[in-house]
Amino acid sequence: MNTLEPAPAALQTLAQDFREALRHSVYLVRRLDAEGELSAAQLSTLKMLLGDGVRVGEIARNLGVRVPSATEQIIKLEKAGLVRRDPDPDDSRAVRVVLTAEGRAAVDSANERRNAVMAGILETLTDDDRRALAAALPVIEKINGTLHN
Amino acid sequence: MNTLEPAPAALQTLAQDFREALRHSVYLVRRLDAEGELSAAQLSTLKMLLGDGVRVGEIARNLGVRVPSATEQIIKLEKAGLVRRDPDPDDSRAVRVVLTAEGRAAVDSANERRNAVMAGILETLTDDDRRALAAALPVIEKINGTLHN
DNA sequence: GTTCATAGTTAGGTAGCCTAACAGTTAGGG
DNA sequence: CCCTAACTGTTAGGCTACCTAACTATGAAC
């Protein structure tokens, strides 16, 4: 659209290719998550709780989902004994979700298992490949950051 | 685990970081798909049909889903008038799924819209960022390729 | 010409997301 | 004060996209 850009065609191509790569990666993420005791959504939720108690709204915002979706995950996790819902001392409307000891253990083991699978894949790459990947990571994170408005 | 590796810790870290980046990217993909006339699953299915007629099993394999899931998508697309199911002349058990003219148009427009959004994001990066990203793309594709067994 | 394998559909179930409607709590203005 | 508006979270109901199991129909092998 903008003829002042140096190489708009290259940008389009990169956009297309990157988008395609991400689309395929969704399947990879799916496979990493498939054989786990914890679903992707649950693991993401738990990870967020590693600090102190977190409110439901904040969990939803960080996950990029609506509040009811976060509530749903939290209820499942609570039933599984991985989180606890404490009343917020400062605001009795709010809830502070905190990890239980089991929850913490579950995060650790799920993370380790997934990382091991990914490390296994990365092991098959060349050093140059891994360097290129590492160099692009901050960029990908920057792109992902676009989401947080 | 393997002490013979030159830098196992770095590999673990890269695995962890890359996994994290991909996990976040799922939300980006979700956003790209959200405001579209075509769902992600439908667009992926349609894209695969740009060549000649493709069999249901092949579509499922390429999408990384089971055959009934592919059937389900195809039926929806057929109802929307975007694909046709022709009998396979060589094997009457099989079905050849082909794009209709509307289907082709839908792929094009959906692709263009999504690419434009992604290009808009990439535009905000530096040249170095884009170079790093472009360099990593083949690596990411290689990793994704791991899926196809 | 049974028997076994293969291609696809149908049926029924689950996870994870959504919006709309609700209940309880807080905060501000008359 | 209290009444209204804003906010936090839950409940209810619905959708999409996946799954497994069971089925139909055709093809292949012997």
Side-chain angles (χ1 to χ4, degrees):
Chain A
M1 305 291 184
N2 185 351
T3 52
L4 294 178
E5 270 294 311
L11 189 70
Q12 284 295 321
T13 305
L14 183 60
Q16 162 115 26
D17 292 349
F18 181 53
R19 208 164 63 65
E20 195 74 7
L22 284 190
R23 195 171 62 74
H24 285 139
S25 296
V26 169
Y27 293 109
L28 192 147
V29 172
R30 181 136 67 217
R31 167 178 287 193
L32 280 180
D33 291 330
E35 42 204 280
E37 58 290 344
L38 239 45
S39 77
Q42 290 175 339
L43 180 54
S44 297
T45 306
L46 287 183
K47 268 191 197 162
M48 184 164 311
L49 303 175
L50 285 174
D52 225 10
V54 180
R55 320 229 315 215
V56 175
E58 198 177 342
I59 292 173
R61 204 160 353 93
N62 283 331
L63 287 179
V65 301
R66 303 289 175 179
V67 170
S69 307
T71 296
E72 189 179 342
Q73 291 306 326
I74 291 162
I75 289 174
K76 278 184 197 163
L77 291 170
E78 194 178 32
K79 280 182 184 157
L82 303 181
V83 306
R84 219 176 40 236
R85 281 194 285 185
D86 292 348
D88 187 320
D90 299 339
D91 183 345
S92 18
R93 295 170 300 180
V95 167
R96 306 204 75 89
V97 183
V98 298
L99 272 185
T100 62
E102 285 110 320
R104 197 167 296 266
V107 176
D108 289 346
S109 100
N111 260 331
E112 268 169 33
R113 216 187 34 71
R114 283 163 165 84
N115 282 344
V117 174
M118 180 59 85
I121 295 174
L122 296 185
E123 246 175 15
T124 69
L125 298 175
T126 67
D127 280 354
D128 277 351
D129 283 348
R130 280 189 289 265
R131 258 189 293 276
L133 194 60
L137 274 189
V139 182
I140 296 176
E141 281 302 356
K142 200 191 276 188
I143 293 170
N144 288 336
T146 309
L147 285 176
H148 293 302
N149 298 323
Chain B
M1 304 298 178
N2 185 349
T3 52
L4 294 177
E5 270 296 311
L11 189 69
Q12 284 295 320
T13 306
L14 182 60
Q16 162 114 25
D17 292 350
F18 181 53
R19 208 164 64 66
E20 195 73 7
L22 284 191
R23 196 171 61 76
H24 286 139
S25 296
V26 169
Y27 292 108
L28 192 147
V29 171
R30 181 137 64 218
R31 168 178 285 192
L32 281 179
D33 291 330
E35 44 205 278
E37 59 289 345
L38 238 46
S39 75
Q42 289 175 340
L43 180 53
S44 296
T45 305
L46 288 181
K47 267 191 198 163
M48 184 162 314
L49 304 175
L50 286 173
D52 225 11
V54 179
R55 321 230 313 214
V56 175
E58 198 176 344
I59 292 173
R61 203 157 357 93
N62 284 330
L63 287 179
V65 300
R66 302 290 175 179
V67 170
S69 307
T71 296
E72 190 179 342
Q73 292 306 327
I74 291 161
I75 289 174
K76 278 185 197 160
L77 291 169
E78 193 178 33
K79 279 183 183 155
L82 303 181
V83 306
R84 219 176 41 236
R85 281 194 284 185
D86 291 349
D88 186 319
D90 299 338
D91 182 346
S92 15
R93 294 169 302 178
V95 167
R96 304 204 76 90
V97 183
V98 298
L99 272 183
T100 62
E102 286 110 320
R104 198 166 297 267
V107 176
D108 289 347
S109 99
N111 260 330
E112 269 167 33
R113 214 186 34 71
R114 282 165 165 84
N115 282 344
V117 175
M118 179 59 85
I121 294 174
L122 296 185
E123 246 174 15
T124 68
L125 299 175
T126 67
D127 279 355
D128 277 350
D129 283 348
R130 280 190 288 267
R131 258 188 292 277
L133 195 60
L137 274 188
V139 182
I140 296 176
E141 281 302 356
K142 201 191 278 190
I143 293 170
N144 287 336
T146 309
L147 286 175
H148 292 304
N149 299 323

